[in-house]
Amino acid sequence: MLISCPLCGPRDATEFRYVDERRQRPDPEQASPQQWRDYLYVRANPSGPARELWLHRSGCRQYLFVDRHTLTNEVQTAALARTEGTR
Amino acid sequence: MTSSHRLPPQPGEVIDRAQRFTFRWNGRPYQAYAGDTIASALAASGVRVLSRSLKYHRPRGLLSADFNDPNCMVTADGEPNVRAAHRLVSPGMSVSSQDTWPSLRFDVKAANQLVGRFLGPGFYYKTFMRPQRLWPAYDKVLGRFSHGGYAPTAPDVDRYDQRYAHPDVLVAGGGPAGMAAAVAAADAGARVLLVDEEHHLGGHLRWADAEGLEILRELRAAVQAAGIEVMTDSVVTGRYDGNWVSVLQRSVPGVRERLVKARAKHMIVAPGLIDRPYVVGGNDLPGVMLSTAVRRLVNLYAVKPGERAVVLTANTAGDAVAADLGRAGVDVVRVLDARQDEDVVRIVGRSAVRAVECSDGAVVDCDLVVTAIGWTAPLTLATVSGGRAEFRAEAARFVPVGLPDDVSAVGGIVGDGSTDQLMEHATAVGREAARRASHRAVALAAGVPHARVTAPADTPAVAIPDLRPAAHPMLSLGRTDGIVDFSEDVSAKDLKSAVREGYDSIELAKRYTTATMGPSQGKLEGVNSIAAVAAATGAGLAETGTTTGRPPYVPVSLGALAGRSHQLLRRSPLQGWHDSHGAAPLYAGSWVRPDHYGDPAAEVQAVRDAVGIIDVTPLGKFDLRGPDVPDLLELLYINKWRKLGVGSVRYGVMCAEDGVVLDDGVTGRLGPEHYLMTTTSSGAEATYDWMERWLQTERRQWRVHVTPVTSNYASINVAGPRSRELLARLTDLDLAPDAFRYMQVRTGAVAGIADCVVWRIGFTGELSFEVHVPAGHGLHVWKALLATGSDLGIRPFGIEAQRILRLEKGHLIVGQDTDGLTQAYGAGLDWAVKLDKPDFAGKPELVWQQMRDDYLRLVGLQPVDGAVVPPEASQIVEDGTRIVGRITSSRMSPTLGHAVCLGLLAPHLSSAGTTVTVRLPGGGSIQARVMPELAHVDPEGVRLRG
Amino acid sequence: MATASHQRQRSRRRPGARFSAFGLLRQGLTRADWPRVWRHRDLAGSYDAVIVGGGVHGLATAYYLAKNHGMHNIAVLEKSYLGSGGSGRNTAIIRSNYLTPEGVRFYDRSVRLYEELACDLNFNVMFSQRGHLTLAHNDSSLRTMRWRAEVNSLEGVDSRVIDATEVARLVPQLDMSEHAHHPILGGLYHPPGGIIRHDAVVWGYARAADALGVHLHQGTELTGIDVVDGAVRGVQTNRGTISTPVVVNCTAGWASVIADMAGVGLPITTFPLQAAVTEPVRPFLDTVVVSGSLHVYVSQTARGELVFGAAVDPFPSYSMRGSLQFTESVAGHVLELMPALSQLRMLRQWAGLCDMTPDFSPVMGITPVDGFYVDVGWGTYGFKAAPVAGETMAELIATGKTPDMIAGFDLARFADGRLVGERGAAAVGH
Ligand SMILES: Cc1cc2nc3c(=O)[nH]c(=O)nc-3n(C[C@H](O)[C@H](O)[C@H](O)COP(=O)(O)OP(=O)(O)OC[C@H]3O[C@@H](n4cnc5c(N)ncnc54)[C@H](O)[C@@H]3O)c2cc1C
Ligand SMILES: [Zn+2]
């Protein structure tokens, strides 16, 4: 599997670390236990297109928002988390 | 033995008659020529039986005479499961048959044949159940049914290797089509890697007529002229996501096997076709061979395969083999033409072929039966690439369809034609492959996803001429039942009865009978298995479908897969000194560290009474800079950081978002916007990722720059009441108690080395200074400390002494005194958690934990009988067996002369003064008392503040 | 007693159906066919319960519902063939030396059921209790092993910490040199652990469930669940709709997809887990050997193949294609343990899908949707749990009461913050 890092170019997936699904951290002051623990534990785990967070660990060390198909492992896009417009 | 069956020189032979030598087969000497395989040399000496079958131990001889031949697994020079029909024989080689006792010719387990009718497929699922107590004995007996050679017991002296390759086009298979495709791709400018399993390029052209041999010569010359990298005796074993292709390369000088990992921009699959065995009674007798086997023997090795032959043919290969046999002086007594509805009904013989029963009723005596009844396309590489196998009934074979953009196929697996037609097709595919590869290179460089690789308009796709499989009668199962899977000893009858029992899909029947699960992985027996299942279900081959092909395409040695071991062991710059001063090595994560220098108790004593130094280089270290570092620290740690002044350090604890303790360490403020953070050594990587994650996702506006500096510094902790005195001799920094207080940091020169970071902390519970020295000078400072402190009673101390010291002081170790569920309050960190901070990682969970009272807590414990040290992980129990906690750390305290512990304990028992029962692993139990503090020595902290 | 009468029924209905040495003999002599192991059925319009997933968990649940609770009008839906999921792809390690008391009790019950399973199902599942050995390469793993051994012995499970000498005696092929990067300091030895023929377990349960009247539908894919007013009413499949008040999700790697159809979120991520076998060699390894630090385990099957496994892949996926990297690292690690094996050849690699949970423990029981049950989160270790999971799930479904043994594995524990502490023991052990 290849991921095209916006900074480093196409690299083998072994250079990256899968971190988590891309998700919104609830406001820690407002979140109910249910909401917070959904955030901690419950995952969409889609069979198909997925929106994920990866780290180019053995490369530029940038966190990337990766859109990937979990049946084919085909990566559609990879964007720098740091500069991605709105979340 | 002499080579009595060797023919005069043949036009395409690959043996070198000038080099003759002997080797041993089951202890006896045999002759061979250079270029012979083990099997060809044995065949040349008239040896016909090479192995015994798995279940019934029936004698077996050459079948396909290539790598896939299931009947010639031997042990060669101690290496088990060597393919005798592929491995070249070498002078003095010692070869023996496998799993035969007492000998290949007389094998006791052949008695299984007599009871065969009771040993149908899966018979073991139906018996040995009662009495239950006898099952373990049966279990052992069943293990004897396993096949194969003996696993070596001595370390392998051979070397294995790996390398990378970046071909534009990788061609798997070096027959005429593969060669033509490779040449075309190379001519179109692509960098090409051409791989073939055999020892020579050429595929079936190697046993062609004079005209064919001439084409082969031209092709070989073209391959060489095109500058193509060629690997023979090598196999493409798999294709993985992103066209990551593995190639097993053999015949590399000095290396037994090499794994080549190729990132191919395009792959062309060109494995040719496999001659399909005919399933008919007696088809596994020695002397029954495939047409390609005979053509190899005669043309490549100049071996006469028999004296009297019957040929069953359904195609031109069968016709050609009859001609070869005639030339070789074999008496072809009967040619049965399946196209004329002639057939073999049964093959007769006991330990070898004796006669053939023909469809017209004739019984023909012979010692060789050759079949050419149809082709199987080896589709594994195509299907692991995402293609599908589609059955073409009129051609009686499966073909690959639906290949991804970056994989194509040429040659026999695509279709039939004259050599010219095959090469014309392959040439076009090769050119198109080069074109796609170059576009892919462009797309990759531009970061365009693979799915959207499209050709720009200026280079139109190459037109690929039509190539389709020719009509061929469907032959597979004959009129009597024979063997389908030779390595697993599975017959057509077995498969049919499995289906009738209800295992009525190809996957279930395969699993139940084990057909196609042996070493050739279905390449020879796959289609016949499908045919047998189809025959029993009444469905067609197309509906029955194939099983899933799985890599590797051929078995790969563990040695090649592992490559040369690269052990990444991290060493501090002081480790050499430790090694040469008697340190016992401790492997901790990726680091090797000194456990102790012979006497840990004395090392502890030195620290408590005088001074000791320990190498703490593996501590994770990060240089943090920027105006928002305090915000980051506030967020990562559960305690407060905003008020930390320049020149001060603080101990901090990090929790994950679930409130579970993650890591701890000391962080100091070196300048207004400059901090040095330390973490545990095993937690360094994760902490680095964790910090960056916050900074790059949730807190992108913060200006913080994180640089890992773990290896930039050698870190030395100088601990003990005389540590100040010692350090003062080596630095100009003012170490006076009021000038350099507990939990402060200074930068300056130590032992003449500038830019050392020195902070005053107390993990050991003693007055201590941790000195972070620029790594290159670590050893100098270490030696200077030892030399300067010799009159102060200095000793180096190791991890074990440090563990004792910190335990006496009640300092926890994350991951030892906490576990995967221990949240901050459970770790006794109540003092550190600051819930009045607006936000920090894990805060909500700690807010809720603080309101609960149902979690284990970390406490100090001392056994009532101070002489007994309960081993770490001893369980604390109530009412005999109910677990209410455990000892997480324990040591005999040299300082107190009394055992000291930390433990996690249920809340109702965790108040000071409670006595609890600790169950000892060896048996028995002891009482232990809960202490008021975690610290056993100096709970007030007088010593470290001194 | 229920068992005996059902077995009588079975033998009356299907003469010659019982497997035994005598049966083999008779069949060998008469050459008569064995009766079918299970039958093809038409899809009924309604069932008392629909179990989704024809793996070992679905089949065991169906079997115990019929056998222990007299529920016969039930269907198992399997989109492919029986055992096509993790149940036909696992490395078949059975053990009970877990870390938490609730875990140990649960898996111990399963081992005991496995010990009797061949007789119970009249199908030899070839449970080979050859012993299970986890290697310790450093102090901290020795400590965790001592912890496990202590908890195990308190729960009556045979598992003990042994020293390097004893390890060497059990597995002479191991490299015991002190200067190895991963020196072997000792191990956790668990004699009742071992391996089993996974397919046989699947087929045995299927055959026995079929004999009790359960409908097994292969090639039948669940495509939707009808939930009305918070309760299950029926399901849709590629072969038609079924009305039912009970749907049991036994789909392991696909658990989230099925739960999504009922609108239930799960704490699950699907990761591929890979395994590989070598070509067969003569038997030499009669213990299951596991190294947590090296993320690898090895056993030798009755067929002589060495079976290798490792930890799950580094990223989630529903693809079962497998990677080269897995074979490289597993080979490297095996050779670190047993350097003499470098000439053995890897024959086949494959992957299955694992439904990983945050606390390495299953998710079993009720959900916020009435009649929608889950028996998922089996991760890399669920094969060994099938008998006890089937037994307890059946009890829950039939009686409406959650058995104590699985109370701690409920879905609500995540919302309540009551995770199970199995992380330390389940990571690579399977
Ligand atoms: C390589 C590997 C090694 C392992 N090793 C071990 C081990 O040594 N010991 C151990 O205890 N465990 C092991 N496991 C884990 C174990 O295999 C699983 O936990 C267990 O098999 C799960 O069984 P199951 O019946 O729940 O799921 P599965 O066997 O996966 O069955 C789920 C079934 O659901 C079907 N399905 C999915 N979606 C639908 C739908 N929409 N409609 C109908 N049917 C559907 C699937 O086709 C599948 O057959 C291993 C797993 C793998 C992959
Ligand atoms: Zn990058």
Side-chain angles (χ1 to χ4, degrees), chain A residues 1 10 12 17 19 25 28-29 33 36-37 39-40 55 57 61-63 73-74 76 81-82 84-85, chain B residues 241 263 444 447 449-451 657 685 688-689 692-694 696 698 700 838-840 843-845 848:
Chain A
M1 182 178 131
D12 192 69
R17 185 169 75 95
V19 180
R25 183 177 189 246
E29 302 298 321
W36 185 256
R37 285 165 182 156
Y39 158 68
L40 287 182
L55 168 63
R57 202 174 196 198
R61 290 207 52 93
Q62 295 300 299
Y63 277 84
N73 285 343
E74 203 146 19
Q76 309 300 327
R82 198 187 267 288
E84 171 101 334
Chain B
D241 288 346
R263 176 71 72 188
L444 283 173
H450 169 42
E657 290 276 65
E685 295 266 329
Y688 185 20
D689 293 358
E692 285 291 357
R693 179 171 175 187
W694 283 104
Q696 293 184 34
E698 295 285 343
R700 297 186 292 178
D839 184 12
F840 61 89
K843 178 178 172 187
E845 287 294 343
W848 300 320

Side-chain angles (χ1 to χ4, degrees), chain B residues 278 312-314 334 336-345 358-360 473-475 479:
Chain B
Y278 193 40
L312 171 66
T313 173
R334 182 83 195 260
L336 295 161
D337 193 333
R339 292 159 295 193
Q340 311 295 322
D341 284 335
E342 293 176 321
D343 199 355
V344 164
V345 174
C358 306
S359 48
D360 60 6
M474 178 68 212
L475 277 86
R479 303 177 193 200

